[in-house]
Amino acid sequence: MEGAALSHSLLQRPLYASTTVVLASPKSARIKLPLSPQNPIILCHHHSHPLLSSSHRPVAAPSLPVRCSSTVMSATPEAGVSAETSEWAMQDFYTLRRDVETTSQRVEEIRASAGLKQLKEDLANLEKASADSSFWDDRAKAQQTLMALTDVKDKIQLLSEFKSQVEDAETIVMLTEEMDSTDKGLLEEASSIIRELNKALDQFELTQLLSGPYDKEGAVISITAGAGGTDAQDWADMLLRMYVRWGEKQRYKTKVVEKSIGEEAGIKSATIELEGRYAYGYLSGEKGTHRIVRVSPFNAKGLRQVHEQFKLIQDRYVLVNLGSSSDPFNKLKGAMEPSRSNRLHHRSGSVLTSFSGVEVMPLLPEESMDVEIPEEDLDISFTRAGGKGGQNVNKVETAVRITHIPTGVAVRCTEERSQLANKIKALSRLKAKLLVITMEQRASEIKQIRGDAVKADWGQQIRNYVFHPYKLVKDVRSGYETSDIASVMDGELDPFIKAYLRHKYSISMSSSGAV
Amino acid sequence: MKLSLTRTSLSSILAPLLCNSHPSHRPISSLSVSHRPTSLTPETTPLFLRPPTSSASLSDLLKFRNWAETLSSSAGASFSAQDNGPDTHLLLRELTWLLEDALENPKTLAYCNPSAVSNDLLVSLRTDLEELYTLWKQRIDERRPFQYIVGCEHWRDLVLGVREGVLIPRPETEQVVELVSDAIKGNDELGDGLWADLGTGSGAIAIGIARILRDRGMVIATDLSPVAVEVASFNVQRYNLQDKVVIRQGSWFGPLKEAEGDLVGIVSNPPYIPTEHINGLQAEVKHEPRLALDGGTDGIGDLLYLCNGAVSMLKPGGFFAFETNGEKQCKFLLDYMETKVKGSFNDINIVSDFAGIQRFVTGFRTR
């Protein structure tokens, strides 16, 4: 229940873009809010979340009101300074007061949903346990208890810091209301507290949302075009681009490791590896079927109807040689442009639906996968070069496919240049996949996976991308939607990812009944 | 009759074999090329090992790629229809790998819009752009094997240098190393002795076995072709195995007379294609040395020779694994061993390759 309330408030919560806007514009620097160094909020308490850091970009949610737009407008250098300042301060005060109220509410909700009461009980129990005379008899258990104790302590401390921070800001608001004149310095401090506090709250929330055993790991995304030929293959290609762009925005090491080109256009399948913290946690919810509704850009023969555009798309797959030192990456990034979606609308014709499947697996280091799969459970097949084989044939056909017989789970690896290398990589992917399924089914080991459930789970449709007759991207699970389809296809997936994570969190809270 | 071979006895066997490193003991003849450092010209150094001395603008590189893709697409289905050659899909994969080897930093396959990328963005290359055009033209027009184009073949966990004049190791042959590994698992003493890879070519099997043996036994590899000896030596050195693998030039058992009856294992991928089939081979294969492919009338001549040689060369309990052209040769060889050289071998087996084709014959020298 509390969880549902939390997620509701999160969606409503305004973005604190105001300060970001101000800071991003050096011309209005006289109202720049300094990061107060004495601010005791611990921001780096947990691991850094790339998503979070990007959430404060002004572009994050254009539909939400940007708080201090008037501030920026009026804070032009030409305006009279003193009069302007007081006017700004009054307006800002009202905004601030509202922000403080909202944040205060948010803090209360988070403290409630984090189960503060339960945490304190846990703390008492753990402390009692660690004080026991026989505590060190079982060293391993003692270590675990101490680690849990530290975790609980940290969490409680963080939660009480949230409260004291927001109270500080409330005090300033109260003081200002009682005083005749506004103290600009104080207001700036309160504003800064609120801004930093909201960042910390975001981070706290995400830590709560991303607590799965593999969430911290990198990710492997496999995209497969659905039935429907060229249109579906083109759609798979668009998804590939979308995820690559998202990965780059997160500053993950993003690599297209395998790509199977479609006959006419697009791709049959592709595999992306993203290295970086929490990549799997963010992306795991992308697994499922993605559906596109649009007017086909292809004619009956599967050829793109405008030749120049085809060229453009071909050209966009650029093999870039990135020197690590000079980092021409930014240069390139600036050159990237959202291009594909724009051209799809001015065409008359029938509306067409295509599908592509997305699979996500954690990128687990070999040594972390402590599982042995019995050889007899594996069906390993290699692509045949055909003919007599051996010395008679010379082909670079090295693909390996491994099926886990008991569950029917299969992986294919084609990107390596030797068969053995593909086999090793495929096996490692299979293990990761089985571990994830084990976790999803809440089984204790791979042996307990129910194969029938695995197959049924795959086809689930998770998101619709409608290009025609209107523009809308909608996640069928979280209900989150946007009409800015161009940005989504350009990798602006954060709102969807966050909405899904919160959705998942609220479901797990309500189903477990925990508070 | 226990197979025993101490480290000391191994070195005493190897002493005469290793004498190449001491030219005073034995004059270097054309038939005893040692494993001295092989200096390869830039032409013969695998592309991925060459220094990045060239560069090209990104847009020019993209132009090359577009051109090469178009060329590959047009070749498309015709190669596979002609002689079971590579289709467009495989050619495009090769192209990706060519660029991977040619670029200094091939790490990112990124998406961007080249019309907005500044044309002066330079990409470091290990060969100049013109050469890339020439190479890909050779690939398509002449069907020059991809592995010769880039000068290497990825095989098991190895990247082996190859060039014209030496057989490109096949994926099927990777299994020979597994067979040896299994044999050693079955009888640990095999791990301490001297192994022979006959007709080693690029040195693939020899290097694969040497890495399984780790700090234990040794491998001696022979090949009649001086080019093969040179390439194999290069590969052995690249994996820093010059103390584990001895490369000798000569025909089959010729260079290892001293080791008669002392080998714990013999492996070989000899030429086994019947002469009459040579003309109908995939165009790429015809670029490879006939010496490594043509096995005479039935293609079985060399296999029989190896089989007979193994009788005297293997230690009792020693292991052998031979690659063959398929079911017919496997069965012939099995029958030969069970009847003609009856009693010499035991546990003779036919092993299928990954495509299900009966490919290898393995067994042990009777104790």
Side-chain angles (χ1 to χ4, degrees), chain A residues 240 317-318 320-321 336 388 390-395 417-418, chain B residues 65 84 101 105 108 110-111 147 156 170 172 269-270 282 325 359:
Chain A
L240 172 63
Y317 306 100
V318 181
V320 183
N321 173 28
M336 291 178 186
K388 293 194 185 79
Q391 292 168 8
N392 300 276
V393 179
N394 173 11
K395 281 191 193 174
R417 283 163 74 163
S418 89
Chain B
R65 205 174 72 153
N84 186 33
D101 283 3
N105 290 309
T108 309
Y111 286 66
Q147 297 89 341
R156 283 178 64 84
R170 304 291 199 264
E172 284 91 343
N269 174 21
Q282 188 193 330
N325 200 30
R359 181 67 64 194

PDB file of all heavy atoms in Angstrom, chain A residues 240 317-318 320-321 336 388 390-395 417-418, chain B residues 65 84 101 105 108 110-111 147 156 170 172 269-270 282 325 359:
ATOM      1  N   LEU A 240      17.746  -1.623 -32.256  1.00  0.00           N
ATOM      2  CA  LEU A 240      19.182  -1.749 -32.031  1.00  0.00           C
ATOM      3  C   LEU A 240      19.802  -0.370 -31.844  1.00  0.00           C
ATOM      4  O   LEU A 240      20.532  -0.114 -30.892  1.00  0.00           O
ATOM      5  CB  LEU A 240      19.832  -2.461 -33.226  1.00  0.00           C
ATOM      6  CG  LEU A 240      21.366  -2.507 -33.246  1.00  0.00           C
ATOM      7  CD1 LEU A 240      21.903  -3.289 -32.076  1.00  0.00           C
ATOM      8  CD2 LEU A 240      21.881  -3.127 -34.543  1.00  0.00           C
ATOM      9  N   TYR A 317      25.472   3.298 -40.057  1.00  0.00           N
ATOM     10  CA  TYR A 317      26.252   2.306 -39.328  1.00  0.00           C
ATOM     11  C   TYR A 317      27.707   2.589 -39.616  1.00  0.00           C
ATOM     12  O   TYR A 317      28.250   2.124 -40.584  1.00  0.00           O
ATOM     13  CB  TYR A 317      25.914   0.901 -39.785  1.00  0.00           C
ATOM     14  CG  TYR A 317      24.461   0.632 -39.697  1.00  0.00           C
ATOM     15  CD1 TYR A 317      23.663   0.698 -40.811  1.00  0.00           C
ATOM     16  CD2 TYR A 317      23.893   0.366 -38.461  1.00  0.00           C
ATOM     17  CE1 TYR A 317      22.321   0.483 -40.712  1.00  0.00           C
ATOM     18  CE2 TYR A 317      22.552   0.146 -38.368  1.00  0.00           C
ATOM     19  CZ  TYR A 317      21.768   0.200 -39.489  1.00  0.00           C
ATOM     20  OH  TYR A 317      20.439  -0.017 -39.388  1.00  0.00           O
ATOM     21  N   VAL A 318      28.262   3.378 -38.803  1.00  0.00           N
ATOM     22  CA  VAL A 318      29.613   3.786 -39.109  1.00  0.00           C
ATOM     23  C   VAL A 318      30.566   3.041 -38.208  1.00  0.00           C
ATOM     24  O   VAL A 318      30.369   2.966 -37.009  1.00  0.00           O
ATOM     25  CB  VAL A 318      29.776   5.286 -38.891  1.00  0.00           C
ATOM     26  CG1 VAL A 318      31.186   5.707 -39.225  1.00  0.00           C
ATOM     27  CG2 VAL A 318      28.805   6.034 -39.759  1.00  0.00           C
ATOM     28  N   VAL A 320      33.420   3.260 -36.288  1.00  0.00           N
ATOM     29  CA  VAL A 320      34.219   4.374 -35.806  1.00  0.00           C
ATOM     30  C   VAL A 320      35.417   3.856 -35.050  1.00  0.00           C
ATOM     31  O   VAL A 320      35.322   3.010 -34.189  1.00  0.00           O
ATOM     32  CB  VAL A 320      33.391   5.275 -34.882  1.00  0.00           C
ATOM     33  CG1 VAL A 320      34.218   6.462 -34.458  1.00  0.00           C
ATOM     34  CG2 VAL A 320      32.158   5.746 -35.587  1.00  0.00           C
ATOM     35  N   ASN A 321      36.520   4.389 -35.422  1.00  0.00           N
ATOM     36  CA  ASN A 321      37.731   4.036 -34.742  1.00  0.00           C
ATOM     37  C   ASN A 321      37.982   5.077 -33.672  1.00  0.00           C
ATOM     38  O   ASN A 321      38.315   6.214 -33.949  1.00  0.00           O
ATOM     39  CB  ASN A 321      38.861   4.010 -35.765  1.00  0.00           C
ATOM     40  CG  ASN A 321      40.185   3.815 -35.103  1.00  0.00           C
ATOM     41  OD1 ASN A 321      40.262   3.213 -34.041  1.00  0.00           O
ATOM     42  ND2 ASN A 321      41.215   4.326 -35.732  1.00  0.00           N
ATOM     43  N   MET A 336      25.570  13.083 -34.202  1.00  0.00           N
ATOM     44  CA  MET A 336      24.475  12.130 -34.310  1.00  0.00           C
ATOM     45  C   MET A 336      23.147  12.864 -34.335  1.00  0.00           C
ATOM     46  O   MET A 336      22.977  13.876 -33.698  1.00  0.00           O
ATOM     47  CB  MET A 336      24.499  11.199 -33.115  1.00  0.00           C
ATOM     48  CG  MET A 336      25.689  10.287 -33.172  1.00  0.00           C
ATOM     49  SD  MET A 336      25.726   9.247 -31.750  1.00  0.00           S
ATOM     50  CE  MET A 336      27.286   8.436 -32.015  1.00  0.00           C
ATOM     51  N   LYS A 388      31.540 -31.868 -47.932  1.00  0.00           N
ATOM     52  CA  LYS A 388      32.306 -32.925 -47.292  1.00  0.00           C
ATOM     53  C   LYS A 388      33.016 -32.457 -46.026  1.00  0.00           C
ATOM     54  O   LYS A 388      33.479 -33.249 -45.230  1.00  0.00           O
ATOM     55  CB  LYS A 388      33.352 -33.466 -48.269  1.00  0.00           C
ATOM     56  CG  LYS A 388      32.765 -34.192 -49.473  1.00  0.00           C
ATOM     57  CD  LYS A 388      33.870 -34.967 -50.180  1.00  0.00           C
ATOM     58  CE  LYS A 388      33.402 -35.616 -51.456  1.00  0.00           C
ATOM     59  NZ  LYS A 388      33.320 -34.647 -52.590  1.00  0.00           N
ATOM     60  N   GLY A 390      35.943 -30.641 -43.553  1.00  0.00           N
ATOM     61  CA  GLY A 390      37.387 -30.856 -43.444  1.00  0.00           C
ATOM     62  C   GLY A 390      38.164 -30.028 -44.456  1.00  0.00           C
ATOM     63  O   GLY A 390      37.837 -28.868 -44.699  1.00  0.00           O
ATOM     64  N   GLN A 391      39.166 -30.657 -45.070  1.00  0.00           N
ATOM     65  CA  GLN A 391      40.016 -29.931 -46.009  1.00  0.00           C
ATOM     66  C   GLN A 391      39.267 -29.476 -47.259  1.00  0.00           C
ATOM     67  O   GLN A 391      39.691 -28.547 -47.946  1.00  0.00           O
ATOM     68  CB  GLN A 391      41.191 -30.826 -46.423  1.00  0.00           C
ATOM     69  CG  GLN A 391      42.173 -31.088 -45.291  1.00  0.00           C
ATOM     70  CD  GLN A 391      43.157 -32.204 -45.633  1.00  0.00           C
ATOM     71  OE1 GLN A 391      43.201 -32.686 -46.775  1.00  0.00           O
ATOM     72  NE2 GLN A 391      43.947 -32.609 -44.652  1.00  0.00           N
ATOM     73  N   ASN A 392      38.119 -30.114 -47.530  1.00  0.00           N
ATOM     74  CA  ASN A 392      37.376 -29.788 -48.757  1.00  0.00           C
ATOM     75  C   ASN A 392      36.752 -28.398 -48.741  1.00  0.00           C
ATOM     76  O   ASN A 392      36.401 -27.865 -49.773  1.00  0.00           O
ATOM     77  CB  ASN A 392      36.258 -30.800 -48.975  1.00  0.00           C
ATOM     78  CG  ASN A 392      36.775 -32.213 -49.122  1.00  0.00           C
ATOM     79  OD1 ASN A 392      37.172 -32.617 -50.197  1.00  0.00           O
ATOM     80  ND2 ASN A 392      36.828 -32.943 -48.018  1.00  0.00           N
ATOM     81  N   VAL A 393      36.565 -27.855 -47.555  1.00  0.00           N
ATOM     82  CA  VAL A 393      35.807 -26.611 -47.416  1.00  0.00           C
ATOM     83  C   VAL A 393      36.630 -25.573 -46.675  1.00  0.00           C
ATOM     84  O   VAL A 393      37.369 -25.895 -45.753  1.00  0.00           O
ATOM     85  CB  VAL A 393      34.486 -26.874 -46.643  1.00  0.00           C
ATOM     86  CG1 VAL A 393      33.707 -25.596 -46.467  1.00  0.00           C
ATOM     87  CG2 VAL A 393      33.644 -27.918 -47.367  1.00  0.00           C
ATOM     88  N   ASN A 394      36.478 -24.316 -47.092  1.00  0.00           N
ATOM     89  CA  ASN A 394      37.080 -23.226 -46.323  1.00  0.00           C
ATOM     90  C   ASN A 394      36.053 -22.125 -46.159  1.00  0.00           C
ATOM     91  O   ASN A 394      35.828 -21.325 -47.055  1.00  0.00           O
ATOM     92  CB  ASN A 394      38.324 -22.688 -47.031  1.00  0.00           C
ATOM     93  CG  ASN A 394      38.870 -21.445 -46.347  1.00  0.00           C
ATOM     94  OD1 ASN A 394      38.455 -21.097 -45.239  1.00  0.00           O
ATOM     95  ND2 ASN A 394      39.799 -20.774 -47.012  1.00  0.00           N
ATOM     96  N   LYS A 395      35.417 -22.123 -45.002  1.00  0.00           N
ATOM     97  CA  LYS A 395      34.418 -21.090 -44.712  1.00  0.00           C
ATOM     98  C   LYS A 395      34.619 -20.598 -43.285  1.00  0.00           C
ATOM     99  O   LYS A 395      34.997 -21.381 -42.407  1.00  0.00           O
ATOM    100  CB  LYS A 395      33.015 -21.668 -44.830  1.00  0.00           C
ATOM    101  CG  LYS A 395      32.518 -21.806 -46.249  1.00  0.00           C
ATOM    102  CD  LYS A 395      31.050 -22.125 -46.210  1.00  0.00           C
ATOM    103  CE  LYS A 395      30.559 -22.591 -47.570  1.00  0.00           C
ATOM    104  NZ  LYS A 395      29.170 -23.026 -47.482  1.00  0.00           N
ATOM    105  N   ARG A 417      35.577 -15.530 -33.705  1.00  0.00           N
ATOM    106  CA  ARG A 417      36.111 -15.996 -34.976  1.00  0.00           C
ATOM    107  C   ARG A 417      36.514 -17.461 -34.968  1.00  0.00           C
ATOM    108  O   ARG A 417      36.851 -18.012 -36.012  1.00  0.00           O
ATOM    109  CB  ARG A 417      37.274 -15.102 -35.404  1.00  0.00           C
ATOM    110  CG  ARG A 417      36.747 -13.787 -35.968  1.00  0.00           C
ATOM    111  CD  ARG A 417      37.807 -12.712 -36.033  1.00  0.00           C
ATOM    112  NE  ARG A 417      38.770 -12.908 -37.104  1.00  0.00           N
ATOM    113  CZ  ARG A 417      39.567 -11.947 -37.533  1.00  0.00           C
ATOM    114  NH1 ARG A 417      39.476 -10.729 -37.019  1.00  0.00           N
ATOM    115  NH2 ARG A 417      40.435 -12.184 -38.480  1.00  0.00           N
ATOM    116  N   SER A 418      36.507 -18.097 -33.813  1.00  0.00           N
ATOM    117  CA  SER A 418      36.758 -19.535 -33.817  1.00  0.00           C
ATOM    118  C   SER A 418      35.618 -20.246 -33.110  1.00  0.00           C
ATOM    119  O   SER A 418      34.917 -19.664 -32.300  1.00  0.00           O
ATOM    120  CB  SER A 418      38.098 -19.879 -33.149  1.00  0.00           C
ATOM    121  OG  SER A 418      37.930 -20.079 -31.768  1.00  0.00           O
TER     122      SER A 418
ATOM    123  N   ARG B  65      34.046   0.680 -47.217  1.00  0.00           N
ATOM    124  CA  ARG B  65      33.160  -0.354 -46.695  1.00  0.00           C
ATOM    125  C   ARG B  65      31.900  -0.504 -47.544  1.00  0.00           C
ATOM    126  O   ARG B  65      31.473  -1.608 -47.826  1.00  0.00           O
ATOM    127  CB  ARG B  65      32.797  -0.084 -45.237  1.00  0.00           C
ATOM    128  CG  ARG B  65      32.431  -1.382 -44.547  1.00  0.00           C
ATOM    129  CD  ARG B  65      32.219  -1.195 -43.092  1.00  0.00           C
ATOM    130  NE  ARG B  65      30.987  -0.483 -42.839  1.00  0.00           N
ATOM    131  CZ  ARG B  65      30.301  -0.622 -41.715  1.00  0.00           C
ATOM    132  NH1 ARG B  65      30.757  -1.416 -40.775  1.00  0.00           N
ATOM    133  NH2 ARG B  65      29.206   0.047 -41.528  1.00  0.00           N
ATOM    134  N   ASN B  84      29.606 -24.360 -53.382  1.00  0.00           N
ATOM    135  CA  ASN B  84      29.390 -24.345 -51.940  1.00  0.00           C
ATOM    136  C   ASN B  84      30.308 -23.316 -51.270  1.00  0.00           C
ATOM    137  O   ASN B  84      30.740 -23.480 -50.130  1.00  0.00           O
ATOM    138  CB  ASN B  84      29.603 -25.751 -51.349  1.00  0.00           C
ATOM    139  CG  ASN B  84      29.240 -25.815 -49.883  1.00  0.00           C
ATOM    140  OD1 ASN B  84      28.333 -25.117 -49.424  1.00  0.00           O
ATOM    141  ND2 ASN B  84      29.960 -26.632 -49.135  1.00  0.00           N
ATOM    142  N   ASP B 101      40.760  -6.236 -38.086  1.00  0.00           N
ATOM    143  CA  ASP B 101      42.208  -6.441 -38.098  1.00  0.00           C
ATOM    144  C   ASP B 101      42.962  -5.237 -38.624  1.00  0.00           C
ATOM    145  O   ASP B 101      44.097  -4.980 -38.220  1.00  0.00           O
ATOM    146  CB  ASP B 101      42.560  -7.676 -38.957  1.00  0.00           C
ATOM    147  CG  ASP B 101      42.285  -8.983 -38.228  1.00  0.00           C
ATOM    148  OD1 ASP B 101      41.779  -8.914 -37.089  1.00  0.00           O
ATOM    149  OD2 ASP B 101      42.584 -10.054 -38.788  1.00  0.00           O
ATOM    150  N   ASN B 105      42.155   0.715 -33.560  1.00  0.00           N
ATOM    151  CA  ASN B 105      41.207   0.608 -32.453  1.00  0.00           C
ATOM    152  C   ASN B 105      39.842   0.168 -32.955  1.00  0.00           C
ATOM    153  O   ASN B 105      38.964   0.979 -33.201  1.00  0.00           O
ATOM    154  CB  ASN B 105      41.046   1.956 -31.753  1.00  0.00           C
ATOM    155  CG  ASN B 105      42.287   2.322 -31.000  1.00  0.00           C
ATOM    156  OD1 ASN B 105      42.792   1.528 -30.212  1.00  0.00           O
ATOM    157  ND2 ASN B 105      42.791   3.514 -31.262  1.00  0.00           N
ATOM    158  N   THR B 108      34.888  -0.077 -31.365  1.00  0.00           N
ATOM    159  CA  THR B 108      33.508   0.389 -31.343  1.00  0.00           C
ATOM    160  C   THR B 108      32.847   0.388 -32.704  1.00  0.00           C
ATOM    161  O   THR B 108      33.330   0.967 -33.654  1.00  0.00           O
ATOM    162  CB  THR B 108      33.436   1.804 -30.767  1.00  0.00           C
ATOM    163  OG1 THR B 108      34.138   1.812 -29.543  1.00  0.00           O
ATOM    164  CG2 THR B 108      32.002   2.203 -30.524  1.00  0.00           C
ATOM    165  N   ALA B 110      29.958   1.990 -33.929  1.00  0.00           N
ATOM    166  CA  ALA B 110      29.013   2.990 -33.434  1.00  0.00           C
ATOM    167  C   ALA B 110      28.134   3.487 -34.562  1.00  0.00           C
ATOM    168  O   ALA B 110      28.444   3.360 -35.736  1.00  0.00           O
ATOM    169  CB  ALA B 110      29.761   4.140 -32.806  1.00  0.00           C
ATOM    170  N   TYR B 111      27.053   4.063 -34.167  1.00  0.00           N
ATOM    171  CA  TYR B 111      26.104   4.605 -35.111  1.00  0.00           C
ATOM    172  C   TYR B 111      26.279   6.109 -35.137  1.00  0.00           C
ATOM    173  O   TYR B 111      26.212   6.761 -34.119  1.00  0.00           O
ATOM    174  CB  TYR B 111      24.687   4.346 -34.636  1.00  0.00           C
ATOM    175  CG  TYR B 111      24.252   2.933 -34.780  1.00  0.00           C
ATOM    176  CD1 TYR B 111      24.854   1.938 -34.047  1.00  0.00           C
ATOM    177  CD2 TYR B 111      23.233   2.608 -35.649  1.00  0.00           C
ATOM    178  CE1 TYR B 111      24.451   0.632 -34.176  1.00  0.00           C
ATOM    179  CE2 TYR B 111      22.824   1.308 -35.769  1.00  0.00           C
ATOM    180  CZ  TYR B 111      23.425   0.322 -35.037  1.00  0.00           C
ATOM    181  OH  TYR B 111      23.016  -0.960 -35.171  1.00  0.00           O
ATOM    182  N   GLN B 147      41.503 -15.894 -44.980  1.00  0.00           N
ATOM    183  CA  GLN B 147      42.584 -16.048 -44.002  1.00  0.00           C
ATOM    184  C   GLN B 147      43.932 -15.614 -44.572  1.00  0.00           C
ATOM    185  O   GLN B 147      44.801 -15.149 -43.820  1.00  0.00           O
ATOM    186  CB  GLN B 147      42.662 -17.510 -43.538  1.00  0.00           C
ATOM    187  CG  GLN B 147      41.411 -17.996 -42.806  1.00  0.00           C
ATOM    188  CD  GLN B 147      40.368 -18.577 -43.769  1.00  0.00           C
ATOM    189  OE1 GLN B 147      40.395 -18.331 -44.976  1.00  0.00           O
ATOM    190  NE2 GLN B 147      39.443 -19.352 -43.212  1.00  0.00           N
ATOM    191  N   ARG B 156      40.606 -22.461 -32.287  1.00  0.00           N
ATOM    192  CA  ARG B 156      40.486 -22.673 -30.840  1.00  0.00           C
ATOM    193  C   ARG B 156      40.659 -21.324 -30.133  1.00  0.00           C
ATOM    194  O   ARG B 156      40.018 -20.358 -30.494  1.00  0.00           O
ATOM    195  CB  ARG B 156      41.518 -23.702 -30.353  1.00  0.00           C
ATOM    196  CG  ARG B 156      41.115 -25.137 -30.694  1.00  0.00           C
ATOM    197  CD  ARG B 156      42.169 -26.110 -30.240  1.00  0.00           C
ATOM    198  NE  ARG B 156      42.330 -26.108 -28.784  1.00  0.00           N
ATOM    199  CZ  ARG B 156      41.580 -26.809 -27.949  1.00  0.00           C
ATOM    200  NH1 ARG B 156      40.620 -27.555 -28.417  1.00  0.00           N
ATOM    201  NH2 ARG B 156      41.795 -26.770 -26.653  1.00  0.00           N
ATOM    202  N   ARG B 170      41.412 -25.973 -40.215  1.00  0.00           N
ATOM    203  CA  ARG B 170      39.953 -26.028 -40.284  1.00  0.00           C
ATOM    204  C   ARG B 170      39.354 -26.174 -38.885  1.00  0.00           C
ATOM    205  O   ARG B 170      39.987 -26.752 -37.997  1.00  0.00           O
ATOM    206  CB  ARG B 170      39.520 -27.225 -41.122  1.00  0.00           C
ATOM    207  CG  ARG B 170      40.102 -27.260 -42.520  1.00  0.00           C
ATOM    208  CD  ARG B 170      39.515 -26.149 -43.369  1.00  0.00           C
ATOM    209  NE  ARG B 170      39.689 -26.405 -44.793  1.00  0.00           N
ATOM    210  CZ  ARG B 170      40.667 -25.929 -45.544  1.00  0.00           C
ATOM    211  NH1 ARG B 170      41.591 -25.149 -44.998  1.00  0.00           N
ATOM    212  NH2 ARG B 170      40.726 -26.196 -46.837  1.00  0.00           N
ATOM    213  N   GLU B 172      37.138 -28.222 -37.988  1.00  0.00           N
ATOM    214  CA  GLU B 172      37.018 -29.642 -37.633  1.00  0.00           C
ATOM    215  C   GLU B 172      38.253 -30.109 -36.858  1.00  0.00           C
ATOM    216  O   GLU B 172      38.157 -30.909 -35.934  1.00  0.00           O
ATOM    217  CB  GLU B 172      36.874 -30.510 -38.897  1.00  0.00           C
ATOM    218  CG  GLU B 172      35.502 -30.465 -39.547  1.00  0.00           C
ATOM    219  CD  GLU B 172      35.392 -29.374 -40.592  1.00  0.00           C
ATOM    220  OE1 GLU B 172      36.247 -28.456 -40.597  1.00  0.00           O
ATOM    221  OE2 GLU B 172      34.446 -29.431 -41.407  1.00  0.00           O
ATOM    222  N   ASN B 269      46.946 -34.445 -39.579  1.00  0.00           N
ATOM    223  CA  ASN B 269      45.887 -34.096 -40.514  1.00  0.00           C
ATOM    224  C   ASN B 269      46.539 -34.123 -41.887  1.00  0.00           C
ATOM    225  O   ASN B 269      46.872 -33.082 -42.439  1.00  0.00           O
ATOM    226  CB  ASN B 269      45.324 -32.710 -40.169  1.00  0.00           C
ATOM    227  CG  ASN B 269      44.312 -32.221 -41.188  1.00  0.00           C
ATOM    228  OD1 ASN B 269      43.729 -33.018 -41.918  1.00  0.00           O
ATOM    229  ND2 ASN B 269      44.114 -30.920 -41.251  1.00  0.00           N
ATOM    230  N   PRO B 270      46.761 -35.317 -42.411  1.00  0.00           N
ATOM    231  CA  PRO B 270      47.521 -35.432 -43.667  1.00  0.00           C
ATOM    232  C   PRO B 270      46.639 -35.100 -44.863  1.00  0.00           C
ATOM    233  O   PRO B 270      45.424 -35.017 -44.721  1.00  0.00           O
ATOM    234  CB  PRO B 270      47.893 -36.918 -43.680  1.00  0.00           C
ATOM    235  CG  PRO B 270      46.729 -37.581 -43.007  1.00  0.00           C
ATOM    236  CD  PRO B 270      46.237 -36.613 -41.968  1.00  0.00           C
ATOM    237  N   GLN B 282      36.032 -26.168 -53.716  1.00  0.00           N
ATOM    238  CA  GLN B 282      35.667 -24.756 -53.527  1.00  0.00           C
ATOM    239  C   GLN B 282      36.851 -23.884 -53.972  1.00  0.00           C
ATOM    240  O   GLN B 282      38.006 -24.198 -53.693  1.00  0.00           O
ATOM    241  CB  GLN B 282      35.379 -24.548 -52.033  1.00  0.00           C
ATOM    242  CG  GLN B 282      34.801 -23.194 -51.684  1.00  0.00           C
ATOM    243  CD  GLN B 282      34.842 -22.956 -50.175  1.00  0.00           C
ATOM    244  OE1 GLN B 282      34.766 -23.900 -49.397  1.00  0.00           O
ATOM    245  NE2 GLN B 282      34.959 -21.710 -49.778  1.00  0.00           N
ATOM    246  N   ASN B 325      39.062 -38.046 -44.606  1.00  0.00           N
ATOM    247  CA  ASN B 325      38.124 -37.373 -45.503  1.00  0.00           C
ATOM    248  C   ASN B 325      36.668 -37.725 -45.195  1.00  0.00           C
ATOM    249  O   ASN B 325      35.754 -37.158 -45.761  1.00  0.00           O
ATOM    250  CB  ASN B 325      38.441 -37.738 -46.951  1.00  0.00           C
ATOM    251  CG  ASN B 325      37.848 -36.742 -47.942  1.00  0.00           C
ATOM    252  OD1 ASN B 325      37.696 -35.568 -47.617  1.00  0.00           O
ATOM    253  ND2 ASN B 325      37.502 -37.212 -49.128  1.00  0.00           N
ATOM    254  N   ARG B 359      35.071 -38.544 -38.979  1.00  0.00           N
ATOM    255  CA  ARG B 359      36.207 -37.724 -39.387  1.00  0.00           C
ATOM    256  C   ARG B 359      37.552 -38.230 -38.859  1.00  0.00           C
ATOM    257  O   ARG B 359      38.574 -38.082 -39.511  1.00  0.00           O
ATOM    258  CB  ARG B 359      35.973 -36.282 -38.875  1.00  0.00           C
ATOM    259  CG  ARG B 359      37.033 -35.269 -39.228  1.00  0.00           C
ATOM    260  CD  ARG B 359      37.113 -34.974 -40.708  1.00  0.00           C
ATOM    261  NE  ARG B 359      35.892 -34.361 -41.192  1.00  0.00           N
ATOM    262  CZ  ARG B 359      35.591 -34.250 -42.503  1.00  0.00           C
ATOM    263  NH1 ARG B 359      36.431 -34.681 -43.417  1.00  0.00           N
ATOM    264  NH2 ARG B 359      34.447 -33.714 -42.879  1.00  0.00           N
TER     265      ARG B 359
END
